[in-house]
Amino acid sequence: MNLYGNILRLFGWKVDITVPERSKSVICVAPHTSNWDFIIGLFAYNSIGRKAGFLMKQFWFFFPIGYLMRALGGIPVPRHSNTSLTELIVKDYADSTKLNLAITPEGTRSAVTKWRSGFLYIAHQAKVPIQLGVIDYKHKCVTIHHEFTPTGDIEADMAYVKAFYSAYADVARYPEKFTV
């Protein structure tokens, strides 16, 4: 076990990731109700020797923190842009030999009923699978057991993803902030 795994274990966390390692994938992560989700998810994925990029508000990429964020795999998301972020990321997949990107479909730590669908568009257009990850505070375990290939029917795919996560409504750090 590496440093990331040792730190998680020290705080009582387990990592149970059984999906195959892919050269390219989208990792959907929910519930997302706390800033700690980022740290725990990052440590969990790194603890098994895998690397994943992540999207984060451009605000966090100021000097000198920006260097650290990029080194950890961060991709800055501008608040307002005339360019489609989805198109840029799909191009990144096409230009890369290896790219695994963790995305929180809620898009915020607050309770929302409308999840962002960009991760579905990205995975479908880039022709990569989506791995469904759960950060379970109730049992202190990060799991990724399930993988699916989006169909391109965004409404049906989102219904599928939300149905999957509906079983995890009570495991968020702040369950009152998680809705499907």
Side-chain angles (χ1 to χ4, degrees), residues 17-22 42 44-52 98 131 144:
I17 299 175
T18 59
V19 293
E21 183 174 11
R22 303 284 183 197
L42 178 74
Y45 211 65
N46 280 280
S47 77
I48 62 167
R50 297 183 189 181
K51 301 285 185 214
K98 184 169 180 126
Q131 298 181 338
I144 308 177

Side-chain angles (χ1 to χ4, degrees), residues 43-60:
F43 276 44
Y45 211 65
N46 280 280
S47 77
I48 62 167
R50 297 183 189 181
K51 301 285 185 214
F54 56 91
L55 302 175
M56 189 172 269
K57 291 178 186 171
Q58 189 171 23
F59 166 82
W60 291 104

Side-chain angles (χ1 to χ4, degrees), residues 18-19 26 28 130-133 143-149 160 164-165 168:
T18 59
V19 293
V26 169
C28 178
I130 297 175
Q131 298 181 338
L132 301 176
T143 60
I144 308 177
H145 292 173
H146 192 72
E147 177 178 273
F148 85 102
T149 302
Y160 180 87
F164 173 84
Y165 284 110
Y168 299 99

Side-chain angles (χ1 to χ4, degrees), residues 7-95:
I7 291 171
L8 286 173
R9 195 171 60 229
L10 178 69
F11 287 96
W13 282 83
K14 298 176 293 229
V15 177
D16 185 12
I17 299 175
T18 59
V19 293
E21 183 174 11
R22 303 284 183 197
S23 59
K24 297 180 184 184
S25 70
V26 169
I27 306 156
C28 178
V29 183
H32 178 46
T33 63
S34 166
N35 284 330
W36 283 106
D37 301 341
F38 167 72
I39 301 294
I40 293 167
L42 178 74
F43 276 44
Y45 211 65
N46 280 280
S47 77
I48 62 167
R50 297 183 189 181
K51 301 285 185 214
F54 56 91
L55 302 175
M56 189 172 269
K57 291 178 186 171
Q58 189 171 23
F59 166 82
W60 291 104
F61 288 81
F62 60 88
F63 179 82
I65 301 297
Y67 289 111
L68 174 63
M69 291 304 199
R70 283 182 177 82
L72 292 172
I75 298 170
V77 177
R79 188 167 177 104
H80 303 290
S81 175
N82 293 334
T83 309
S84 166
L85 181 62
T86 299
E87 290 174 16
L88 291 174
I89 295 172
V90 169
K91 184 177 180 333
D92 285 346
Y93 274 99
D95 294 344

Side-chain angles (χ1 to χ4, degrees), residues 83-173:
T83 309
S84 166
L85 181 62
T86 299
E87 290 174 16
L88 291 174
I89 295 172
V90 169
K91 184 177 180 333
D92 285 346
Y93 274 99
D95 294 344
S96 301
T97 56
K98 184 169 180 126
L99 179 58
N100 294 285
L101 185 62
I103 299 176
T104 57
E106 298 150 282
T108 181
R109 294 171 312 279
S110 302
V112 294
T113 54
K114 182 165 175 35
W115 285 13
R116 296 177 182 256
S117 57
F119 74 102
L120 293 168
Y121 285 101
I122 290 166
H124 180 68
Q125 291 174 22
K127 296 178 178 50
V128 299
I130 297 175
Q131 298 181 338
L132 301 176
V134 177
I135 299 177
D136 180 341
Y137 284 86
K138 188 175 188 179
H139 303 99
K140 286 193 160 185
C141 188
V142 176
T143 60
I144 308 177
H145 292 173
H146 192 72
E147 177 178 273
F148 85 102
T149 302
T151 65
D153 181 340
I154 300 303
E155 286 184 31
D157 290 344
M158 184 62 81
Y160 180 87
V161 170
K162 284 186 167 190
F164 173 84
Y165 284 110
S166 66
Y168 299 99
D170 66 337
V171 303
R173 180 164 174 94

